[in-house]
Amino acid sequence: MVTTVLPAVRAPRAEPPFLPHPASDPAPELAEARIDLAAIAANTRWFRDRAEGAALMAVVKADGFGHGAALVAQASLDAGAAWLGVARLREGLALRAAGVAAPVLGWLLEPAWLRDSVDRRIDVSASSVEDLDRIAACGAARRAEVHLKLDTGMHRAGATLAEWPAVVAHAARLERRGRLHVRAIWSHLSHGDVPGDPQTGLQAATLATGVEIARSIGLRPEVTHLANSGGVIQAGAAGCSMVRVGAGLYGIDVLPVGPGGSRLRPAMRVTARVVGLRSVGAGEGIGYGHATITRRATRLALVPMGYADGLPRVAGPHAWMRVGEVPAPVVGRISMDQVILDVGDRPVRVGDPVTVLGDGADGAPTAADWARWSGTIPHEILTGIGGRVIRRTTGGTR
Ligand SMILES: *Cc1c(COP(=O)(O)O)cnc(C)c1O
């Protein structure tokens, strides 16, 4: 039995991810991400409709996939989400500090924040006897609400089926002693985004077995949850009473979309302004290492975003942005804070808007395009958009 009581810690204050736009100054920001709360709400409803009556947990980890956790949480709760999911407990405490009262689960046991999290009604996840002991001994004033995690095949976290009987028996003992309460049993899919993969059904069956074992030992979990965005699209609630939706809320298509296109609405649009223009002759080298040599005389536009703002440096040779109504290729290397576009002989002026990333409807590149150019997934592009890019919201209902 672990007897160490963690020292009391102060909850982190809510840190706004950006300074508000100065109300007195109508000048545009150099780079901004417009977060469409109506899109978040519509996507929430879309998944709820497919969750077969199960409750929806809006996954707002990593600052709501870069969109702003508290903003997304509120929009999603208003549209029918019942729970919020985060990875770090500290992220859950930040939601509480922002005034969010809804149930929250944090699935990475963060020792320094465990006691405060339990005191602030943040549910925690346990994968082992050691996790359970640590939770029971955290010194909180309240009984911890625990989601017991079974490893059904992802092999990232959770007790294996072999360990499971000992873990649930230990949980039942601690529950009888009033130290904690097992509110849920859960697992995570490894192939939710792989159409028709048999792994999804196998994992659902293994979780059902785990729930039966827990019940036979006397646990009475009120909630079970397995499916993520792809899981819901393929298998609804997968036999559970709750689903955990992340990517889809933000409009990321985790599965190939049909001929009608996506039914989800991308919620982030990143724009910048041209801050400089120059003319160069043919045969000039551009940027660091002269990675591009001009073939003809042309004009170059400077855009104040770079890899520190989340535009992957490796995307440089493939990337383009939309300036006014027209695409313009990135030339030279993407640098930390700036990028250069070839705008040819078009009448571009300083201050003109540049669409860096949009919903695809207006011909600007999407997060999926940036992901393809960089050998990654849209999730990594969206979570990578940095703190210097000012977040502003649209489509809010309150
Ligand atoms: C990120 C995450 C989710 C959300 O998955 P999506 O595929 O983004 O819907 C759900 N559960 C866990 C444990 C996660 O880490």
Side-chain angles (χ1 to χ4, degrees):
M1 173 92 183
V2 177
T3 50
T4 330
V5 174
L6 293 164
V9 280
R10 278 194 305 122
R13 275 196 285 160
E15 291 157 19
F18 50 85
L19 288 172
H21 189 76
S24 58
D25 187 351
E29 296 284 354
L30 288 186
E32 67 173 54
R34 214 159 255 278
I35 309 303
D36 182 354
L37 298 177
I40 301 273
N43 295 336
T44 301
R45 287 190 292 268
W46 193 88
F47 277 95
R48 268 200 79 196
D49 288 347
R50 277 152 191 81
E52 304 173 319
L56 188 143
M57 173 186 282
V59 176
V60 298
K61 61 189 180 186
D63 200 20
F65 283 51
H67 296 60
L71 292 170
V72 172
Q74 209 51 67
S76 197
L77 290 167
D78 288 348
W83 279 73
L84 300 169
V86 291
R88 301 278 187 94
L89 296 182
R90 194 170 184 278
E91 299 180 285
L93 287 167
L95 288 172
R96 287 284 180 264
V100 175
V104 175
L105 167 66
W107 47 78
L108 286 179
L109 263 193
E110 205 171 5
W113 304 103
L114 180 52
R115 173 180 173 169
D116 276 29
S117 296
V118 171
D119 278 336
R120 285 173 177 73
R121 294 180 300 100
I122 292 162
D123 289 19
V124 296
S125 176
S127 293
S128 64
V129 165
E130 293 72 31
D131 286 352
L132 288 165
D133 280 339
R134 170 171 262 168
I135 294 164
C138 77
R142 317 175 65 95
R143 187 183 68 166
E145 294 290 344
V146 174
H147 296 222
L148 273 188
K149 187 162 195 183
L150 177 65
D151 180 0
T152 56
M154 170 91 169
H155 302 330
R156 185 173 74 175
T160 63
L161 205 51
E163 297 161 340
W164 189 246
V167 171
V168 291
H170 196 62
R173 256 193 311 276
L174 292 170
E175 196 175 79
R176 282 194 298 273
R177 287 189 214 147
R179 309 298 287 275
L180 51 78
H181 172 240
V182 176
R183 198 204 299 258
I185 292 179
W186 73 298
S187 190
H188 190 50
L189 293 174
S190 58
H191 287 62
D193 58 355
V194 183
D197 197 286
Q199 172 77 359
T200 298
L202 291 172
Q203 289 192 251
T206 304
L207 184 61
T209 302
V211 172
E212 260 175 51
I213 293 170
R215 295 187 71 82
S216 74
I217 284 173
L219 292 177
R220 292 289 175 269
E222 297 133 45
V223 186
T224 54
H225 49 104
L226 174 66
N228 58 353
S229 300
V232 175
I233 294 170
Q234 296 204 62
C240 293
S241 65
M242 184 161 75
V243 298
R244 302 184 309 275
V245 179
L249 284 190
Y250 307 96
I252 297 173
D253 285 310
V254 295
L255 283 153
V257 294
S262 175
R263 313 301 290 277
L264 300 173
R265 286 167 55 183
M268 187 192 291
R269 173 181 189 79
V270 178
T271 55
R273 297 276 162 176
V274 172
V275 292
L277 283 163
R278 68 191 54 239
S279 297
V280 290
E284 295 288 343
I286 311 297
Y288 285 124
H290 285 175
T292 302
I293 309 284
T294 54
R295 296 219 181 119
R296 49 175 168 72
T298 190
R299 280 209 317 156
L300 305 177
L302 185 62
V303 176
M305 279 185 73
Y307 58 79
D309 302 297
L311 306 183
R313 189 171 173 277
V314 293
H318 316 285
W320 51 271
M321 298 177 185
R322 205 191 65 158
V323 183
E325 304 299 313
V326 195
V330 168
V331 287
R333 298 221 172 101
I334 292 178
S335 43
M336 188 181 291
D337 320 293
Q338 306 175 60
V339 69
I340 301 164
L341 303 178
D342 183 352
V343 293
D345 53 8
R346 301 211 316 268
V348 174
R349 291 184 311 188
V350 167
D352 279 1
V354 178
T355 308
V356 178
L357 179 164
D359 61 8
D362 58 0
T366 62
D369 289 325
W370 279 98
R372 204 176 59 255
W373 299 333
S374 331
T376 185
I377 54 176
H379 314 49
E380 191 175 341
I381 301 298
L382 294 174
T383 54
I385 299 299
R388 292 192 302 198
V389 178
I390 306 301
R391 266 66 167 181
R392 301 173 86 178
T393 57
T394 170
T397 54
R398 45 157 97 197

